[in-house]
């Protein structure tokens, strides 16, 4: 079920840009362009107590779908994108007890995304092999060698060019040590025996990145009560060195990694009880003391994404107790502006960031554990970009297109038609090109500034019995452009050849008489 809810506090489309208030150096704007914020929330029902969220094109339609774990119903919900950023179709799949972490990746090299779920009370991860159409093959439940896997990440940590599964398993039981676990991928969707690395901290969330630039993926983990993030450098053979502890001075519950400073090195952001802590990578395997930023009440999860389109990764934080999501925008040099907040019904658990509408701007998907819902907020900053559209008629490889002025009997139009490229706030204009090659380089006819989604072919513009290719570009006053996914072809008819057979015969007369009857 889908419902719409207005923001309790959100970015207004016309609000003053932070660039007006934040500068770096002498007159340099902090942000590349005005950030308009996010649309009102679209809320979608999922299972009980949704937690972690992942994005990926599950059904291969070119648009990101959503996957969320439901801890209260021992399931995951897969919400399929309709191509316009809405999610009318939901499928639930059972996993094992108390699913927590989730990740998507192509584990078997078939081009389809698979799903991995950490089952926090079953000692397993569930692997659901994607079929590429939104459905999944038989689920495999893989023991991980620890009773409490809660977080999962996917990457090639042993250098064999196949994705491995990395699991974080915290433990509050003294005789059962916390652990980081690697399930080595065999390349066909199956995995070798788990390799367990006991650790002295409870890893509640993990991320993979190459922190020291040696070409190997390392692990960073949030350590909850340790008040630190912990970096384990890869030793080059799939094992890991002793952890380097990064003191945040507060309980840490979430971790993310990105190049915040634009220097080519991967930095670390940690969410904790007292805010968000950003550790700058020095480049020699060490990190500077953190800069601390305020978010909402009880920052719970931190996610990274360039929400304002300036090329620098920003921070998005789910605040468990204040029912808000905080946006901290990166100045471009690793300094973040004061948080701005989005109101959320219930308690937000996790935010996933990605382009859900196909307009080039990252949107937000927020799991709302208190409302058993997933909220989607569309980025307003670039929704003025024309959305995807398609060429309709003539259909690709159509033959016998009526020739205007010759066999276009009874005024029947010989026209090109396409679907509308929706663009919020700004009107869209279209340009049409007809050419003799698929790349649309040898242009024979071009029309610009069209307001309608059709173009009548002028008499005498095309030759009979000739194959042409055509394409359309949509644009608006802001300068955004979007072209049709590919060109389409048609072949014009001979004069009098109404059925496209290549010759004029009795069948053409029958067609003519049928038109007369209509």
């Amino acid at each position: 079920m889908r419902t719409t809810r207005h923001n309790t506090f959100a970015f207004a489309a016309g609000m003053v840009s932070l660039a007006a208030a934040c500068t770096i150096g002498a007159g340099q704007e902090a942000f590349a362009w005005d950030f308009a914020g996010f649309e009102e929330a679209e809320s979608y029902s999922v299972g009980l107590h949704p937690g972690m969220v992942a994005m990926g094109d599950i059904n291969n339609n070119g648009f990101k779908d959503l996957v969320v774990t439901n801890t209260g119903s021992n399931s995951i919900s897969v919400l399929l994108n309709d191509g316009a950023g809405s999610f009318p179709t939901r499928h639930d799949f059972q996993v094992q007890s108390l699913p927590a972490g989730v990740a998507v990746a192509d584990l078997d090299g078939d081009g389809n995304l698979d799903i991995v779920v950490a089952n926090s009370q079953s000692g397993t991860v569930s692997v659901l092999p994607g079929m590429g159409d939104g459905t999944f093959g038989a689920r495999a439940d893989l023991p991980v060698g620890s009773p409490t896997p809660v977080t999962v990440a996917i990457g090639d940590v042993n250098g064999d060019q196949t994705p491995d599964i990395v699991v974080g398993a915290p433990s509050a039981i003294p005789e059962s040590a916390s652990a980081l676990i690697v399930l080595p991928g065999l390349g066909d969707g199956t995995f070798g025996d788990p390799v367990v690395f006991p650790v002295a901290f409870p890893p509640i969330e993990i991320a993979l990145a190459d922190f020291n630039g040696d070409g190997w993926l390392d692990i960073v983990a949030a350590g909850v009560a340790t008040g630190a993030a912990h970096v384990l450098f890869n030793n080059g053979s799939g094992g890991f060195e002793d952890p380097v502890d990064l003191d945040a001075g507060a309980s840490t519950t979430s971790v993310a990694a990105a190049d915040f400073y634009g220097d080519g090195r991967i930095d670390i952001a940690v969410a904790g009880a007292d805010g968000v802590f950003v550790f700058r990578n020095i480049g020699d395997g060490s990190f500077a003391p953190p800069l601390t930023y305020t978010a909402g009440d009880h920052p719970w999860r931190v996610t990274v994404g360039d929400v304002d389109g300036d090329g620098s990764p920003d921070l998005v934080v789910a605040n468990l107790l204040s029912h808000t999501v905080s946006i901290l925008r990166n100045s471009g040099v690793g300094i973040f502006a004061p948080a701005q907040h989005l109101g959320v019904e219930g308690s937000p658990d996790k935010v996933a960031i990605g382009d859900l509408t196909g307009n080039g701007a990252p949107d937000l998907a927020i799991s709302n554990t208190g409302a058993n819902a997933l909220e989607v907020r569309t980025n307003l900053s670039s929704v003025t970009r024309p959305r995807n559209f398609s060429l309709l008629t003539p259909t690709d490889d159509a033959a016998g297109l009526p020739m205007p002025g010759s066999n276009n009997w009874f005024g029947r139009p010989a026209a090109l038609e396409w679907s509308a490229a929706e663009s919020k706030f700004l009107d869209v204009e279209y340009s049409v090109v007809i050419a003799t090659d698929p790349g649309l380089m040898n242009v024979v006819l071009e029309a610009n500034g069209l307001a309608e989604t059709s173009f009548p072919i002028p008499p005498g513009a095309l030759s009979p019995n000739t194959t042409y290719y055509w394409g359309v570009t949509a644009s608006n006053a802001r300068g955004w452009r979007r072209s049709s996914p590919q060109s389409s072809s048609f072949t014009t008819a001979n004069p009098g050849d109404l059925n496209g057979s290549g010759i004029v015969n009795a069948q053409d007369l029958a067609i003519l008489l049928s038109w007369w009857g209509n």
Side-chain angles (χ1 to χ4, degrees), residues 105-116 125-131 137-142 154 160-165 183-192:
D106 180 7
L107 301 175
D108 53 11
D110 64 355
N112 302 320
L113 289 181
D114 311 303
I115 299 177
V116 178
V125 294
S126 294
V127 177
L128 289 79
M131 299 291 101
R139 187 188 84 215
D141 299 318
L142 310 179
I154 299 173
D160 63 356
Q161 309 303 309
T162 60
D164 309 305
I165 298 174
L183 281 73
L186 302 182
D188 59 357
T190 63
F191 294 83

Side-chain angles (χ1 to χ4, degrees), residues 91-390:
H91 299 293
D92 289 356
F93 301 90
Q94 289 301 123
V95 288
Q96 292 195 301
S97 182
L98 285 187
V102 63
V104 297
D106 180 7
L107 301 175
D108 53 11
D110 64 355
N112 302 320
L113 289 181
D114 311 303
I115 299 177
V116 178
V117 181
N119 302 302
S120 64
Q121 285 194 353
S122 298
T124 62
V125 294
S126 294
V127 177
L128 289 79
M131 299 291 101
D133 58 358
T135 65
F136 297 87
R139 187 188 84 215
D141 299 318
L142 310 179
V144 300
S146 175
T148 55
V150 301
T151 178
V152 63
I154 299 173
D156 178 17
V157 298
N158 59 9
D160 63 356
Q161 309 303 309
T162 60
D164 309 305
I165 298 174
V166 182
V167 178
S171 177
I173 305 173
E175 60 270 20
S176 178
S178 297
L180 293 167
I181 302 147
V182 176
L183 281 73
L186 302 182
D188 59 357
T190 63
F191 294 83
D193 294 335
V195 181
V196 179
F197 300 91
V199 292
F201 57 87
I204 192 170
E205 188 172 43
I206 61 174
L208 305 180
D210 180 8
F211 293 110
N212 57 1
D214 63 356
W216 294 86
L217 287 178
D218 310 306
I219 302 174
V220 60
V224 194
T226 62
H230 308 273
V231 180
L232 289 84
F233 290 102
N234 197 316
N235 63 13
S237 61
F240 295 90
E241 299 174 359
D242 291 338
V244 174
D245 301 329
L246 307 180
D247 185 15
S251 175
T252 58
T253 54
S254 179
V255 66
D259 180 9
F260 298 121
Y261 288 84
D263 57 7
R265 297 189 288 265
I266 305 301
D267 311 299
I268 294 172
V270 180
D274 295 337
V276 181
F277 309 92
V278 177
F279 295 87
R280 183 173 187 175
N281 191 336
I282 303 302
D284 59 357
S286 63
F287 293 81
L291 296 178
T292 304
Y293 297 91
T294 300
D297 189 1
H298 199 80
W300 180 244
R301 304 282 188 194
V302 61
T303 310
V304 172
D306 181 14
V307 300
D308 59 6
D310 66 353
S312 299
D314 308 304
L315 299 174
V316 181
V317 184
N319 303 302
L320 198 60
L321 298 184
S322 56
H323 312 299
T324 59
V325 167
S326 299
I327 312 292
L328 291 85
R329 295 170 59 202
N330 192 338
S331 66
V333 293
I335 305 300
F336 293 85
Q340 294 176 286
H341 310 288
L342 298 172
V344 179
E345 283 187 1
S347 300
D349 188 290
K350 178 67 176 178
V351 182
I353 304 175
D355 180 10
L356 298 175
T357 62
N359 64 9
D363 309 301
L364 307 182
I366 307 164
S367 63
N368 188 336
T369 189
N372 298 327
L374 196 63
E375 289 192 5
V376 174
R377 291 180 178 267
T378 301
N379 195 323
L380 284 169
S381 300
S382 287
V383 293
T384 50
R385 183 192 300 272
R387 295 191 176 183
N388 287 342
F389 63 100
S390 57

Side-chain angles (χ1 to χ4, degrees), residues 62-77:
F63 294 88
K64 288 184 173 64
D65 308 302
L66 300 175
V67 182
V68 59
T69 57
N70 304 307
T71 58
S73 50
N74 296 333
S75 67
I76 61 170
S77 294

